[in-house]
Amino acid sequence: MAGRLALMTLLLCACGEEDPAPRQPTLPDAGTGAEASWRLVWSDEFEGAAGTPPDPARWVHDVGGDGWGNDQLEFDTDRVENAAHDGQGNLVITAREEAFGGRAYTSARIKTQGLFAQRHGRFEARIRLPAGRGLWPAFWMLGDDIETVGWPRCGEIDVMEFRGQRPDESTGAVHGPGYEGGQALGGVSTAVADLSLDFHVFSVEWDARGIVWAVDDVVFHRVFPASLPPGAPWVFDHPFFLILNLAVGGSYVGPPDATTVFPQALRVDYVRVYERVE
């Protein structure tokens, strides 16, 4: 990437097993050595009863099957068959092989648009990923001005994307004018084990200086204003809303094949958003 700032040291505080109370991560301030503290401002711990839908005070559904601009193969519904609490502290987004709305698969895509958005902070989710060719789970964010300025001018921050046929890799990226789609500024996290075998914490920490990605608090990617192509604008200076989805097929992963078993589940233990306390 052009113009990456050098000699930026960002150290994340290692965390052990979860405490019952929300975790308070810390990140030393780049270049100063002064620790930042974080205050939890929004979360969903997904403690609903088994079979109940996502909390409508926190999430709304994107419903449709037009491919979402990525040639996805599923129809995303608002049914509990595709997104529901499991009664064990998780939200489960389930992709099914079934004819629905003119598509051969169903799944779900939920977002906080109109309900919650934030500029800057730490955004994290503890997720267990599905595995299989053609599965494309993601935890990502869009600028809340998308209805007026469109994409990519609104900006997109992909906290986690995953190709089901590459179970030891997850990716993170940003999209904006001049660095969208295949030109996005992305990085890859390579795990020592199959990411679908257990839960992992996927996070970004974002402020005016840049965005830092981590998996289980191990940093794997950084983007700064100086990382952008010459003349491209930094469009990460306004609130963004959250999205969780499990796509089937699409330009990023290709279609499922005979080895892909359905149904498949994306399990989310929690989503938490923090603001920085100086």
Side-chain angles (χ1 to χ4, degrees):
M1 287 174 209
R4 184 184 297 277
L5 293 179
L7 302 179
M8 297 287 288
T9 304
L10 292 169
L11 300 175
L12 283 165
C13 176
C15 296
E17 293 300 315
E18 277 192 290
D19 294 323
R23 186 168 61 84
Q24 297 292 327
T26 59
L27 175 67
D29 185 42
T32 71
E35 283 195 355
S37 60
W38 300 92
R39 176 170 55 235
L40 183 70
V41 294
W42 185 95
S43 71
D44 196 338
E45 306 294 320
F46 301 117
E47 297 294 341
T52 59
D55 183 353
R58 291 182 171 91
W59 303 97
V60 295
H61 285 266
D62 270 331
V63 175
D66 63 359
W68 302 108
N70 299 306
D71 299 321
Q72 294 165 216
L73 302 177
E74 85 284 353
F75 191 101
D76 289 304
T77 83
D78 58 2
R79 307 178 307 166
V80 293
E81 290 89 345
N82 295 113
H85 297 99
D86 66 0
Q88 301 176 36
N90 304 302
L91 177 73
V92 182
I93 296 179
T94 304
R96 301 180 182 277
E97 188 173 15
E98 59 178 338
F100 191 99
R103 294 284 174 160
Y105 305 93
T106 62
S107 190
R109 169 170 161 149
I110 62 173
K111 61 185 181 180
T112 65
Q113 186 177 17
L115 300 172
F116 173 78
Q118 179 166 298
R119 170 180 175 265
H120 299 162
R122 177 179 171 101
F123 303 76
E124 67 176 22
R126 186 172 184 262
I127 296 173
R128 183 169 180 176
L129 297 164
R133 182 168 296 277
L135 299 175
W136 181 7
F139 169 44
W140 51 300
M141 303 190 288
L142 286 172
D144 69 349
D145 57 352
I146 188 170
E147 300 294 340
T148 57
V149 305
W151 184 92
R153 183 71 198 181
C154 66
E156 176 179 329
I157 301 172
D158 299 327
V159 183
M160 178 280 297
E161 291 186 281
F162 181 73
R163 297 177 177 98
Q165 59 264 45
R166 300 185 182 181
D168 62 341
E169 290 182 1
S170 66
T171 64
V174 292
H175 301 254
Y179 49 101
E180 72 271 22
Q183 303 304 311
L185 305 182
V188 178
S189 173
T190 302
V192 297
D194 184 335
L195 289 168
S196 71
L197 298 178
D198 203 352
F199 284 88
H200 298 275
V201 176
F202 301 91
S203 66
V204 295
E205 294 187 1
W206 161 38
D207 64 18
R209 298 164 302 173
I211 306 170
V212 179
W213 285 255
V215 177
D216 296 329
D217 284 339
V218 177
V219 171
F220 71 92
H221 185 45
R222 301 170 174 85
V223 172
F224 307 104
S227 307
L228 305 185
W234 179 259
V235 291
F236 308 101
D237 54 3
H238 57 276
F240 278 55
F241 61 88
L242 312 175
I243 307 170
L244 286 166
N245 71 289
L246 172 53
V248 180
S251 54
Y252 191 63
V253 294
D257 64 15
T259 67
T260 310
V261 178
F262 288 92
Q264 289 280 348
L266 172 68
R267 301 181 186 276
V268 187
D269 177 24
Y270 62 73
V271 178
R272 296 173 184 165
V273 180
Y274 301 83
E275 65 180 5
R276 186 167 178 163
V277 180
E278 299 294 343

